[in-house]
Amino acid sequence: MSNLKSFQDQISKVNDQNFEHIALELFRYQAVNNPVYAKYLQALNKDVSGIQKLIEVPFLPISFFKTQEVKTGAWQEEGIFSSSGTTAAQASRHYVRRISNYLQNTQACFEAIYGPIQHYNLFALLPAYLERKDSSLVLMMDHFIKQSQTPFPGFYLYNTADLLRDIDKARQSDKQILLLGVSFALLDLAENTQPDLSDCIIMETGGMKGRRKEITRQELHTVLKQAFRVEVIHAEYGMTELLSQAYAKHNGLFQCPNTMKVFIRDVNDPFSYLPAGRTGGINIIDLANADSCAFIETEDLGKWHEEGYFEVLGRFDQSDVRGCNLLFN
């Protein structure tokens, strides 16, 4: 690969057959042109030319996004996505070269699983994110709402009465209703109103954001299914440091888009990988991260399923990584 532009042209053509070839090309390019990643590889004493398989590629710990500008090449960013950091943890910062590339990719990720976005009336219940100006999730949903051409505002902060009123109006349309919300906001809606949303897709995007006690995804889905009278709860899996998203239509089993692959690493040996059914750390290849780093070692725990899905089980306890304390993401 001679430059990132030539790689960006290949994104729409990525499939299971050519993913490894394209990912290895990108790895070799980023190993030379991404100063942070290059220094990390040097510290590991890795011979880049000797790496011939994806399972041999070292993944950059996600914590580097908290302290470094993770960029491949020299360019001026159009935007910076920041995580919802707390006083106990510094926020991650993802420098984004082209916002349009991010929006185009997020729509492709969604439509690969759910079909054309114009088939939906989208509603977003994201109070913790709307109160920030640098949320990639808010930008994504704003784009989705506009592309769907819905007649409704789309975003609702704490005005759940307006949300439920507009959902009722949307039932007169032939479009499917999709409500996406952060976990604590959906729980508040479930406990305070218990609306009948049996004809809607309910999608959680994780995160209690310090507003409520952390619970497992299974516990969350059980409460929401009963309150909203739906058979399944859908889920979105993304993060500040990624530009692609995975989606789960049932039971928290996530499906990757073409631009994304997941590996499960051994919690005691980050350079060894586990077979299907074993719990370990989640490593992600995100080809949409061509301008930053496409090979991310996350702090999430999960497992891979032979059917091609992956599951997110929680997060590493930062006080003791080997302890594998599970906290819902």
Side-chain angles (χ1 to χ4, degrees):
M1 184 193 309
S2 59
N3 56 64
L4 285 176
K5 185 179 184 306
S6 65
F7 174 77
Q8 294 288 0
D9 294 338
Q10 301 181 59
I11 283 286
S12 61
K13 303 175 184 177
V14 173
N15 55 46
D16 286 340
Q17 287 68 45
N18 63 20
F19 186 97
E20 181 159 8
H21 172 74
I22 293 174
L24 284 172
E25 278 196 354
L26 181 58
F27 161 70
R28 296 179 186 117
Y29 187 87
Q30 291 186 333
V32 174
N33 295 281
N34 184 315
V36 173
Y37 193 34
K39 288 181 181 179
Y40 179 67
L41 295 173
Q42 291 169 9
L44 295 176
N45 197 28
K46 289 293 181 178
D47 177 12
V48 173
S49 63
I51 293 177
Q52 301 297 323
K53 299 178 181 179
L54 282 183
I55 59 172
E56 299 170 352
V57 172
F59 286 69
L60 184 72
I62 203 168
S63 58
F64 277 80
F65 283 83
K66 295 181 179 181
T67 59
Q68 308 291 321
E69 282 192 20
V70 183
K71 289 183 176 181
T72 296
W75 41 266
Q76 181 62 42
E77 64 274 4
E78 286 187 353
I80 303 174
F81 297 152
S82 296
S83 64
S84 52
T86 67
T87 55
Q90 184 176 349
S92 292
R93 291 164 65 83
H94 189 170
Y95 294 81
V96 182
R97 186 176 187 177
R98 296 284 183 269
I99 295 296
S100 59
N101 288 345
Y102 166 68
L103 296 177
Q104 181 180 1
N105 185 67
T106 58
Q107 185 170 343
C109 292
F110 177 89
E111 292 186 335
I113 310 299
Y114 289 94
I117 207 162
Q118 292 81 10
H119 292 176
Y120 296 88
N121 278 314
L122 296 164
F123 298 86
L125 194 57
L126 303 170
Y129 294 92
L130 283 174
E131 293 161 339
R132 295 166 33 218
K133 297 180 180 179
D134 49 10
S135 166
S136 57
L137 179 60
V138 169
L139 189 64
M140 180 185 83
M141 285 305 297
D142 181 64
H143 175 71
F144 284 6
I145 290 165
K146 290 175 180 175
Q147 291 298 307
S148 71
Q149 300 178 349
T150 180
F152 304 101
F155 286 105
Y156 300 82
L157 193 55
Y158 297 104
N159 50 338
T160 53
D162 290 347
L163 167 68
L164 296 177
R165 180 202 63 206
D166 287 346
I167 286 178
D168 191 49
K169 291 181 180 178
R171 291 188 169 102
Q172 302 173 25
S173 166
D174 59 357
K175 292 185 176 185
Q176 175 70 60
I177 297 170
L178 190 157
L179 170 62
L180 180 142
V182 66
S183 298
F184 77 84
L186 289 176
L187 276 174
D188 288 345
L189 181 66
E191 293 174 358
N192 296 334
T193 63
Q194 295 190 336
D196 182 356
L197 301 178
S198 55
D199 56 346
C200 304
I201 293 175
I202 310 298
M203 182 181 293
E204 53 90 0
T205 187
M208 294 301 183
K209 305 301 177 186
R211 307 290 184 97
R212 300 178 64 121
K213 179 182 177 181
E214 302 283 350
I215 60 175
T216 67
R217 174 167 273 117
Q218 183 177 5
E219 290 171 328
L220 172 70
H221 287 199
T222 297
V223 172
L224 297 183
K225 284 191 292 186
Q226 182 176 357
F228 297 147
R229 306 179 198 178
V230 294
E231 294 184 0
V232 297
I233 299 295
H234 298 234
E236 180 262 356
Y237 179 75
M239 58 184 68
T240 298
E241 300 84 358
L242 302 178
L243 296 183
S244 295
Q245 299 79 35
Y247 291 93
K249 285 188 169 183
H250 57 87
N251 298 328
L253 298 177
F254 288 94
Q255 182 177 349
C256 288
N258 289 342
T259 52
M260 185 176 173
K261 279 195 182 299
V262 164
F263 296 86
I264 305 298
R265 68 182 186 274
D266 190 316
V267 296
N268 295 311
D269 180 1
F271 304 109
S272 296
Y273 295 96
L274 300 175
R278 295 277 302 279
T279 298
I282 296 177
N283 284 4
I284 295 176
I285 301 176
D286 183 6
L287 299 184
N289 270 11
D291 293 310
S292 54
C293 183
F295 308 90
I296 304 298
E297 177 188 294
T298 80
E299 295 172 350
D300 290 334
L301 287 165
K303 66 174 64 173
W304 181 256
H305 292 257
E306 290 183 347
E307 296 83 1
Y309 301 98
F310 73 97
E311 196 173 351
V312 182
L313 300 175
R315 292 178 65 86
F316 285 107
D317 182 344
Q318 294 307 297
S319 65
D320 183 2
V321 172
R322 292 175 185 265
C324 300
N325 183 28
L326 296 183
L327 295 177
F328 179 59
N329 180 20

